[in-house]
Amino acid sequence: MKLESLCVHGAKDKNNQTGSLAVPIYQSATFAHPAVGQSTGYDYARVQNPTREALEALVAALEGGQHALAFSCGMSALDALMGLFEPGDRILCTDDLYGGSVRLFNALEKRVGLSFDYLDTNSEKELLAALSPQTKAVFVETPSNPMMKVTDLAMVKRVIGPNVKLIVDNTFLTPVFQKPFDFGADVVLHSGTKYLGGHNDTLAGFLVTNDPKDDEKLRYITKTVGSGLSPFDSFLIIRGIKTLALRMYKSQRNALAIAQWLSSQPKVTKVLYPGLPAHPGYDLPQATGHGAMISFEVDSPETATMALERVSTILYAESLGGVETLITYPLLQTHADLSEDIRNALGITDRLLRLSVGVEDQEDLINDLSQALK
Ligand SMILES: *Cc1c(COP(=O)(O)O)cnc(C)c1O
């Protein structure tokens, strides 16, 4: 089945005897055993639940991976993933990673003794210089957040070889536009809160893997700490994914129009959108679309504040990937935990704004931005 059909039909209830189109919410914490030493396949919902299981199979199929696990949010997925590593291991990361990931990594450096190096993961030279026998993984966000830097995944895998894991946070493009396993990824991570859910109403996270040993370890971790997604939230994400492809295409169309419009505005000094031909990474064959995330720089911090306060259809709120268009101020929101030096080096200034373009009418969105930037 092709991806658009999988979005609609890919979630199946293995126990369906009623013909129900929707996977039911199996709101049960525990499951009765038919006999001593026997199980229906479900024992206790911390370990597995049929609604969550259907969602996990769907997400694995969408990414073209063997195994998927659904977590209570993206950060708990990332935290579980870090359980695959040992004290002393080093992980190389894209330098403008999602701020929450950096916060988690800072805590793990202190508590667990893992080390994280931040670099331009699209630079073969920087990767080679940073690789050491302790390097166990490279963690890539592409396009990155908020600078929209694109990393060539196949290049990274070629440079790091088969023994270093390539982990890709595919939250921004989703499998609709980018399938990291086709380019050498070993693990794909998602904040399902964003495009997969798509309605700004549910937190979720995913890890997709191909190595059965990784899957076994990760299942052991979720079983132990109970970070799996609840049945109701699993239902909502299955429902969200039914329109994933539609939403991705529509929000991408809106985003391209907005990026072009922003490029011609006197108060806008820079537009970062991979769908503009001048953007480095525009031509990279690994993605079939450029997504709907745009960062842009305005002429002064006052213009930035004014735009945030004046927007009305567009909402000034953290997060991304939903049907509603949101504008954020990375400096004070997603990237507040980065040090000032790092923020400045990356270009996350008091003039940088980020848009997550939704599925509203294009003209309404441009009119709203136009009055906000006057
Ligand atoms: C939001 C986000 C996360 C964290 O996910 P939560 O669901 O908020 O825990 C990780 N990576 C990226 C790129 C994100 O946008």
Side-chain angles (χ1 to χ4, degrees), residues 26 76 81 96 98 142 210 263 288 340 344:
Y26 284 91
S76 60
L81 179 63
D96 60 332
Y98 172 71
T142 180
N210 278 324
S263 304
T288 56
E340 196 181 331
N344 286 335

Side-chain angles (χ1 to χ4, degrees), residues 216-228:
E216 194 182 321
K217 279 192 208 160
L218 293 168
R219 283 192 190 277
Y220 185 79
I221 292 169
T222 52
K223 164 178 159 176
T224 306
V225 304
S227 46

Side-chain angles (χ1 to χ4, degrees), residues 73-76 98 101 141 145 169 171-172 189 191-194 203-204 320:
C73 69
M75 294 319 298
S76 60
Y98 172 71
S101 302
E141 238 181 72
N145 184 4
D169 183 334
T171 300
F172 271 30
L189 177 138
S191 168
T193 313
K194 314 296 167 52
L203 295 177
L320 63 103

Side-chain angles (χ1 to χ4, degrees), residues 23-327:
V23 176
I25 304 164
Y26 284 91
Q27 190 66 33
S28 186
T30 189
F31 300 83
H33 306 301
V36 173
Q38 286 185 22
S39 162
T40 60
Y42 307 98
D43 301 308
Y44 190 61
R46 175 153 34 75
V47 183
Q48 193 49 292
N49 173 286
T51 316
R52 184 162 82 225
E53 191 175 50
L55 170 61
E56 290 175 344
L58 169 63
V59 171
L62 290 175
E63 282 292 358
Q66 290 297 310
H67 315 279
L69 280 138
F71 293 86
S72 59
C73 69
M75 294 319 298
S76 60
L78 186 57
D79 187 49
L81 179 63
M82 290 300 117
L84 296 181
F85 302 98
E86 306 287 337
D89 288 353
R90 297 192 80 88
I91 297 178
L92 311 181
C93 308
T94 303
D95 50 15
D96 60 332
L97 219 52
Y98 172 71
S101 302
V102 177
R103 184 168 58 229
L104 175 66
F105 292 164
N106 288 344
L108 291 176
E109 282 198 320
K110 290 212 189 76
R111 207 176 69 214
V112 186
L114 295 176
S115 303
F116 299 86
D117 300 296
Y118 298 90
L119 55 124
D120 177 359
T121 42
N122 198 39
S123 159
E124 191 164 340
K125 213 168 105 211
E126 284 192 35
L127 280 170
L128 282 169
L131 275 174
S132 74
Q134 286 72 43
T135 308
K136 295 293 154 61
V138 176
F139 183 56
V140 172
E141 238 181 72
T142 180
S144 67
N145 184 4
M147 302 313 288
M148 306 297 155
K149 291 193 283 193
V150 173
T151 290
D152 179 347
L153 297 174
M155 177 281 288
V156 176
K157 193 58 194 177
R158 178 169 49 75
V159 169
I160 65 180
N163 297 324
V164 178
K165 282 188 201 308
L166 173 57
I167 304 164
V168 179
D169 183 334
N170 205 26
T171 300
F172 271 30
L173 289 185
T174 82
V176 173
F177 292 138
Q178 178 168 273
K179 303 196 56 182
F181 288 126
D182 293 346
F183 300 91
D186 299 285
V187 180
V188 173
L189 177 138
H190 274 277
S191 168
T193 313
K194 314 296 167 52
Y195 289 104
L196 300 186
H199 293 74
N200 287 320
D201 56 9
T202 313
L203 295 177
F206 294 94
L207 291 175
V208 191
T209 56
N210 278 324
D211 180 343
K213 277 192 283 214
D214 286 351
D215 181 57
E216 194 182 321
K217 279 192 208 160
L218 293 168
R219 283 192 190 277
Y220 185 79
I221 292 169
T222 52
K223 164 178 159 176
T224 306
V225 304
S227 46
L229 193 63
S230 77
F232 182 55
D233 290 349
S234 298
F235 168 85
L236 286 172
I237 303 292
I238 290 173
R239 180 181 155 118
I241 288 174
K242 293 198 187 221
T243 56
L244 173 67
L246 274 179
R247 288 184 284 104
M248 292 307 292
Y249 295 135
K250 165 71 174 164
S251 48
Q252 169 168 265
R253 239 185 357 259
N254 281 349
L256 180 61
I258 291 173
Q260 287 165 343
W261 178 84
L262 282 170
S263 304
S264 69
Q265 294 309 299
K267 287 189 181 168
V268 175
T269 49
K270 198 190 282 179
V271 180
L272 303 170
Y273 179 61
L276 295 175
H279 192 90
Y282 170 81
D283 278 336
L284 207 60
Q286 74 191 12
T288 56
H290 300 103
M293 296 299 300
I294 304 170
S295 292
F296 64 102
E297 216 177 67
V298 291
D299 56 0
S300 71
E302 290 73 30
T303 303
T305 314
M306 185 184 72
L308 292 167
E309 289 175 354
R310 278 198 190 164
V311 284
S312 70
T313 306
I314 298 170
L315 302 169
Y316 171 31
E318 218 158 314
S319 203
L320 63 103
V323 288
E324 298 91 354
T325 299
L326 304 183
I327 190 164

